[in-house]
Amino acid sequence: MKKKVIAYNRVEKPVLEALQKKYDTRFFKNIDTKNDSDFLDHLSETEGIIGLELVVDHDLLKRAPHLKIVSNVSVGYNNLDIEQLSKRNILATNTPDVLTDTVADTVFSLLIAAARRIPELDQFVKNGDWITEAIEPEHFGVDVHHKTLGIIGMGRIGQAIAQRAHFGFDMDILYHSRTRKPDVEKKFDATYFGLDELLRTSDFICLITPLTPETTGLIGKREFQLMKNSAIFINGSRGKTIVEQDLIDALKSSELAAAGLDVFEKEPVDSDNPLLGMKNVVTTPHIGSSTHETELKMSELAAENLEAGLNGKRPPNLINPTVWTEK
C-alpha cells in the first residue's frame, strides 16, 4: 500500500506529479482545514505533508496520528508549531539556500523602485500625463548609489543584499543581527551597529529577519521615529515583524519618505488598506521567491526532504534535529 501524503497550496507540477506516482498524494489548496472532510480523512492516515502556509498546530496534529514529517516549501516556518512537532517526534523541514539570491533580487528591486519612484512614474507615462506635463522636480527620486544601507538580519539573504549593495552600488553597509559576523564585515566592509544607531544613520533600511516571538512587532512607532525623514524602509521579512499601523502613520506624517513592501500584516492585503493608496509605497504580493526557476528548486528540495523523512532517512534541511535518531 502506498504511503499517504498531503500536498498543500504550492508544489510545482512536475514535483507533484512525481510524488503522485510514488505515494497516495492528495493536493489541497486554500481550504478550510478544520472542516474539509476529504482533507481530514486523508490527514488521519497521512505520513507526510509538503506545501506552503498550512498551519500545523496542536489541533491539526491531533488528527494526524501517523504523521512523520512536515516539509515546508519555504525558508520560513512560522506556520509550524515546532514545539508540538518535536514533542511528537515529527520531523520539520524547510528550503533554505535555493531562494537566497531570488529573494535578495526582490528586496533590492523594491529598494530601487521606491527610491526612483518607478511604479508612480510608470503610471504617469501610461496615463498620458507625460504628453501634457514635463517631468518636474516634484517627480524626482533619490540616488541609491553611495548611500548608506542598514540591514536588519544578516543571514543568507541579508548577506546577498549586502553583496548587491556593496559591489553593485558602492553603498556603505551597516547591519544589526543577534551576533556579529566578522567574515561579513570583512567581505562587504560592513559595520555592526546597535538597532537604534542603525535606524538613525541609514538612508535605506531593509528588514529581513525571520518571524519569531522576539521579532514580532520589532519595528514600530518608536523605531520609525528614529529613522531619518528622508529614509526609505523595505520589508522583505514577514508582515508581522512590523507594526503596520505605525508604518502608515509614519508615512502619513512624513516621518518616513517611502516604503517598499513584499509582505503585509494580513495576506492577501485588504483592498482598503491605506498603504495601497500611497504613491510613495511600492507593493508586491509576497513574491520574494516567485520565479519559475526558484519555485521549482524549492519544490524539488522540499520533496527531497519529504522522501527522506518518509523512508527513515535524515532530511537535508531539518529544523528540529533533536528529534532525529539513526534508524
Side-chain angles (χ1 to χ4, degrees), residues 194-202 205 218-231 250 255-256:
L195 180 59
D196 287 4
E197 190 177 3
L198 180 147
L199 297 175
R200 291 189 187 100
T201 308
S202 301
I205 297 161
L218 178 66
I219 306 297
K221 180 178 181 178
R222 174 184 170 276
E223 289 72 29
F224 288 122
Q225 288 178 339
L226 289 174
M227 298 177 193
K228 297 178 180 180
N229 291 351
S230 59
E255 291 177 345
L256 193 62

Side-chain angles (χ1 to χ4, degrees), residues 207 217 219 224 233 235 238-244 247 265:
L207 180 61
I219 306 297
F224 288 122
F233 174 75
N235 191 1
R238 289 291 187 270
K240 291 183 179 179
T241 54
I242 74 168
V243 181
E244 194 169 275
L247 171 62
E265 195 170 78

Side-chain angles (χ1 to χ4, degrees), residues 13-256:
K13 186 176 180 181
V15 176
L16 179 60
E17 290 176 345
L19 290 174
Q20 288 172 332
K21 289 178 181 178
K22 293 182 181 180
Y23 309 103
D24 180 3
T25 304
R26 293 284 303 277
F27 179 73
F28 299 91
K29 185 170 184 178
N30 296 330
I31 59 166
D32 179 354
T33 58
K34 296 185 184 298
N35 296 298
D36 187 288
S37 58
D38 288 342
F39 175 82
L40 294 174
D41 286 345
H42 207 69
L43 180 65
S44 67
E45 297 182 349
T46 200
E47 295 183 45
I49 293 173
I50 181 173
L52 180 71
E53 296 176 344
L54 176 63
V55 176
V56 180
D57 56 11
H58 176 72
D59 291 339
L60 183 141
L61 292 171
K62 284 193 302 183
R63 298 172 177 264
H66 303 291
L67 189 61
K68 295 179 179 178
I69 181 168
V70 180
S71 180
N72 252 25
V73 187
S74 169
V75 66
Y77 50 88
N78 52 287
N79 58 306
L80 307 181
D81 189 328
I82 299 299
E83 182 180 352
Q84 289 295 324
L85 285 162
S86 299
K87 188 180 293 186
R88 292 168 168 79
N89 290 316
I90 299 169
L91 305 174
T93 66
N94 64 342
T95 58
D97 297 329
V98 295
L99 49 65
T100 296
D101 282 321
T102 301
V103 175
D105 286 349
T106 302
V107 171
F108 215 82
S109 69
L110 283 170
L111 187 155
I112 295 172
R116 297 305 307 272
R117 301 169 64 173
I118 300 297
E120 178 187 352
L121 295 176
D122 171 66
Q123 285 302 310
F124 182 83
V125 175
K126 290 177 178 175
N127 292 341
D129 295 331
W130 196 24
I131 296 171
T132 58
E133 184 180 348
I135 294 294
E136 300 290 348
E138 60 263 28
H139 300 115
F140 293 173
V142 296
D143 286 334
V144 173
H145 60 83
H146 296 95
K147 294 292 183 68
T148 299
L149 172 63
I151 300 173
I152 304 170
M154 191 54 88
R156 297 180 184 92
I157 298 170
Q159 291 176 43
I161 294 168
Q163 180 178 10
R164 285 153 176 75
H166 176 66
F167 293 110
F169 290 83
D170 292 313
M171 299 181 83
D172 293 327
I173 307 299
L174 313 179
Y175 77 99
H176 178 78
S177 64
R178 288 178 298 177
T179 58
R180 288 192 64 166
K181 300 179 183 288
D183 56 331
V184 170
E185 293 175 16
K186 183 177 180 181
K187 186 174 182 179
F188 305 122
D189 195 22
T191 304
Y192 179 86
F193 271 23
L195 180 59
D196 287 4
E197 190 177 3
L198 180 147
L199 297 175
R200 291 189 187 100
T201 308
S202 301
D203 299 308
F204 297 89
I205 297 161
C206 285
L207 180 61
I208 196 69
T209 61
L211 180 63
T212 66
E214 293 74 28
T215 63
T216 299
L218 178 66
I219 306 297
K221 180 178 181 178
R222 174 184 170 276
E223 289 72 29
F224 288 122
Q225 288 178 339
L226 289 174
M227 298 177 193
K228 297 178 180 180
N229 291 351
S230 59
I232 294 177
F233 174 75
I234 309 297
N235 191 1
S237 57
R238 289 291 187 270
K240 291 183 179 179
T241 54
I242 74 168
V243 181
E244 194 169 275
Q245 184 59 52
D246 291 346
L247 171 62
I248 292 168
D249 293 342
L251 289 163
K252 283 183 176 179
S253 63
S254 298
E255 291 177 345
L256 193 62

